[in-house]
Amino acid sequence: MSADLTKIAGRSAPRLTKLGRYRIAAALAAIAVSVAACNREEAQAPPPIRIVRTITVEPPRQGADVSFTGHIEAQDQAALSFRIGGRLAERMVGVGANVREGDIVARLDPENELNELRSARAALVTAQGALRKAENQLQRQSHLLERNVTTRADFEAAEQGRTAAQAQVDAAQARVRSAEDVVGFTTLKADAPGLVTGIGAEPGEVVAAGRMIVQLARREGRDAVFEVPADAVRTLPPDARVYVALSGDPNVTVSGRVREVAPQADPVTRTFRVRVGLSEPPPSFRLGTAVSGTIRGGETSGIAIPATALTRRGQDTGVWIVDPKTLTVSMRKLDVLSSDPAGALIQKGLALGDIVVTAGASLLREGQHVRLTGTEPR
């Protein structure tokens, strides 16, 4: 019986081999389809439910008024100085003087510069004489060449002499203009109307180029300057409104905006210099006047959240908000008033009752299901 089966199998071996190949191919196709289905199921599998820590947004706390003292300075100050060094011959203004644009405030002794100018002008006259001589020589050579009395080489030499003489004249003219500018640098003029607030040299002194001769406070605007502690600067909005009043008369007030905050603290006092640009200050706000500045707490209040809740995507900053009905998260863009390693003050983007993720935010995706700490899974 077994022998007969062996014979039959031996006679049918080629046919069984071809049929086997078909069966193997079909089996492989079925396996590939099942694997692809498994992969699709794995790709479509929902992300795991993350456990997150959250807080509920509460009404913003009303901050207390912040006050500090300072003084009035010019919004724009210029240190007027000479471009060249020399002996200061005279100074026309003193501290407290009002100057107009173009007024002369000081002069240097110009004798050396005038001598350089005279020398340059003499060299120009010499160069112009050489140029006229070269032009006459070129003209004679041109007439002689037309009558075939001179050679082409002599004519070309006359042309080159005329070109060189013209270059000497151009160089001499440039030296004259430069010497005239240097003579002009011996006179110091005000570049804008303003008030003289400081003097850096007296007549008779030899001053170097760039040394301050007159400190000029321009009249374009006034700033209130304050020394503010670091903790107050940290919570200070970049464009905060400040109410400034005279220390001697608190009834005289004016409002302004923070215009500049020093990037580095003073090495002695460890405070930051804050400049507040004043809008239409009254005449009593004179330079150097002592003033007090106040930032209303209600105007700088915001919603405080932990800094760990902030998530950055490119240039935007936001937080993950949990939907209490579906327990899914969504990203919401925020306007951050200020932030530090401990917390952040939010100006816009959050509403009362919002559930904000404060821990585990870096592992979340849009629409992902989450479970709040301290709750049972649904």
Side-chain angles (χ1 to χ4, degrees):
M1 181 68 177
S2 59
D4 294 340
L5 290 175
T6 303
K7 291 179 181 179
I8 294 172
R11 290 194 302 269
S12 304
R15 183 178 301 174
L16 289 175
T17 302
K18 185 176 181 180
L19 184 60
R21 287 199 300 270
Y22 286 134
R23 290 177 178 176
I24 292 172
L28 291 175
I31 293 173
V33 171
S34 63
V35 170
C38 292
N39 290 337
R40 284 197 301 270
E41 290 180 359
E42 292 179 358
Q44 295 175 358
I49 297 177
R50 299 285 183 185
I51 301 176
V52 295
R53 184 180 294 116
T54 61
I55 62 169
T56 302
V57 175
E58 299 177 351
R61 294 171 294 179
Q62 188 75 12
D65 293 348
V66 180
S67 298
F68 19 77
T69 58
H71 61 278
I72 299 297
E73 288 186 3
Q75 185 173 350
D76 188 10
Q77 299 192 43
L80 304 183
S81 58
F82 290 102
R83 298 188 184 185
I84 59 175
R87 187 179 68 85
L88 184 62
E90 57 180 335
R91 176 172 47 78
M92 290 75 169
V93 297
V95 175
N98 286 292
V99 298
R100 296 172 298 179
E101 183 178 359
D103 286 353
I104 298 176
V105 298
R107 282 195 179 96
L108 292 177
D109 184 1
E111 192 59 33
N112 293 335
E113 288 73 20
L114 289 175
N115 289 335
E116 291 292 335
L117 178 59
R118 296 186 189 104
S119 176
R121 286 174 175 171
L124 175 60
V125 172
T126 302
Q128 289 174 341
L131 176 61
R132 283 194 296 270
K133 181 179 179 180
E135 288 177 344
N136 293 335
Q137 179 67 16
L138 178 61
Q139 188 176 7
R140 285 194 296 270
Q141 289 295 326
S142 177
H143 291 322
L144 292 175
L145 184 63
E146 291 175 356
R147 291 180 292 176
N148 294 324
V149 177
T150 187
T151 62
R152 171 65 65 175
D154 291 339
F155 174 76
E156 291 177 352
E159 278 188 327
Q160 293 175 357
R162 193 265 180 194
T163 302
Q166 182 62 54
Q168 292 295 327
V169 170
D170 294 341
Q173 289 176 341
R175 286 193 292 271
V176 169
R177 288 192 295 269
S178 178
E180 290 174 345
D181 290 340
V182 172
V183 171
F185 294 158
T186 61
T187 300
L188 184 61
K189 297 181 179 180
D191 59 347
L195 180 68
V196 177
T197 59
I199 296 300
E202 297 295 335
E205 293 186 40
V206 176
V207 297
R211 176 178 171 180
M212 188 271 289
I213 306 299
V214 173
Q215 185 79 27
L216 185 66
R218 296 192 174 105
R219 297 177 182 170
E220 282 76 6
R222 292 286 183 268
D223 281 351
V225 181
F226 304 99
E227 299 294 335
V228 181
D231 54 350
V233 170
R234 186 173 60 251
T235 59
L236 190 66
D239 192 26
R241 179 179 293 276
V242 182
Y243 298 90
V244 182
L246 288 177
S247 297
D249 187 1
N251 295 324
V252 181
T253 61
V254 67
S255 64
R257 294 282 185 179
V258 173
R259 191 172 65 85
E260 178 184 316
V261 178
Q264 185 175 1
D266 184 272
V268 178
T269 62
R270 311 311 301 175
T271 57
F272 292 83
R273 170 162 288 202
V274 177
R275 302 184 71 94
V276 177
L278 304 179
S279 56
E280 300 180 359
S284 55
F285 279 68
R286 301 172 62 88
L287 296 177
T289 304
V291 294
S292 61
T294 302
I295 300 178
R296 306 279 172 79
E299 296 184 2
T300 60
S301 60
I303 297 177
I305 61 173
T308 55
L310 297 179
T311 300
R312 289 175 175 81
R313 288 188 172 183
Q315 300 296 328
D316 297 334
T317 301
V319 293
W320 291 105
I321 302 296
V322 179
D323 187 341
K325 297 181 179 179
T326 62
L327 289 183
T328 57
V329 294
S330 60
M331 175 62 67
R332 184 179 297 176
K333 182 181 176 181
L334 302 178
D335 289 341
V336 180
L337 196 62
S338 63
S339 64
D340 56 36
L345 204 60
I346 307 303
Q347 185 178 24
K348 184 189 298 183
L350 292 178
L352 299 182
D354 285 341
I355 302 176
V356 179
V357 176
T358 60
S362 60
L363 304 176
L364 298 179
R365 293 186 298 175
E366 190 72 26
Q368 185 174 357
H369 287 269
V370 296
R371 181 162 64 89
L372 310 185
T373 55
T375 62
E376 295 294 333
R378 294 184 178 181

